[in-house]
Amino acid sequence: QVQLVESGGGLVQAGGSLRLSCAASGRTFSNYAMAWFRQAPGKQRQFVAAISRNGGITRYADSVKGRFTISRDNAKNTVYLQMSSLKPEDTAVYYCAADGNIAVRSGLLDYSVWGQGTQVTVSS
């Protein structure tokens, strides 16, 4: 079973950029579609972006389209989330997740493996 560890979070000013990484362990990383979710205090965990097993298909929440880019490097067992033009509304704990389904899905319950999360704080 794949295991996930996020890194790269921190404090940044509005308009700035951050790059999150999700390092995966296990021999079957390439068999999983991957996604990023985020959760702000007092709110539900929300879908951010997802990517197919070979990286050929991506999906984004409307709130981040044009600003965030998800990518993966299967040779390095790593998924990335490049975030630019950051807004205070992007402040949240960001989680990496894995889905064994062949489809690229956006539902919280579609993902069975989760990382521990990394904090992103955007100041105004």
Side-chain angles (χ1 to χ4, degrees):
Q1 181 77 306
V2 65
Q3 295 180 328
L4 309 174
V5 179
E6 302 96 332
S7 63
L11 175 64
V12 65
Q13 284 188 268
S17 299
L18 279 176
R19 186 185 189 227
L20 305 183
S21 297
C22 175
S25 62
R27 298 188 299 272
T28 59
F29 174 72
S30 62
N31 294 137
Y32 293 86
M34 302 295 297
W36 290 94
F37 290 76
R38 66 187 183 186
Q39 187 168 22
K43 296 186 177 181
Q44 292 277 65
R45 193 169 298 186
Q46 297 179 330
F47 171 77
V48 176
I51 188 167
S52 61
R53 297 176 181 184
N54 65 359
I57 303 172
T58 56
R59 295 181 62 185
Y60 297 92
D62 288 341
S63 59
V64 306
K65 279 185 177 178
R67 300 190 298 120
F68 291 10
T69 301
I70 187 171
S71 62
R72 69 190 296 164
D73 186 339
N74 286 351
K76 296 182 178 180
N77 280 12
T78 303
V79 177
Y80 305 96
L81 185 68
Q82 178 66 50
M83 305 182 292
S84 61
S85 301
L86 283 163
K87 306 174 182 179
E89 307 92 89
D90 296 319
T91 295
V93 176
Y94 283 71
Y95 297 90
C96 181
D99 178 15
N101 198 281
I102 192 171
V104 182
R105 304 188 288 182
S106 60
L108 181 65
L109 298 180
D110 294 327
Y111 292 84
S112 58
V113 181
W114 295 82
Q116 84 288 349
T118 185
Q119 176 71 46
V120 173
T121 302
V122 184
S123 64
S124 59

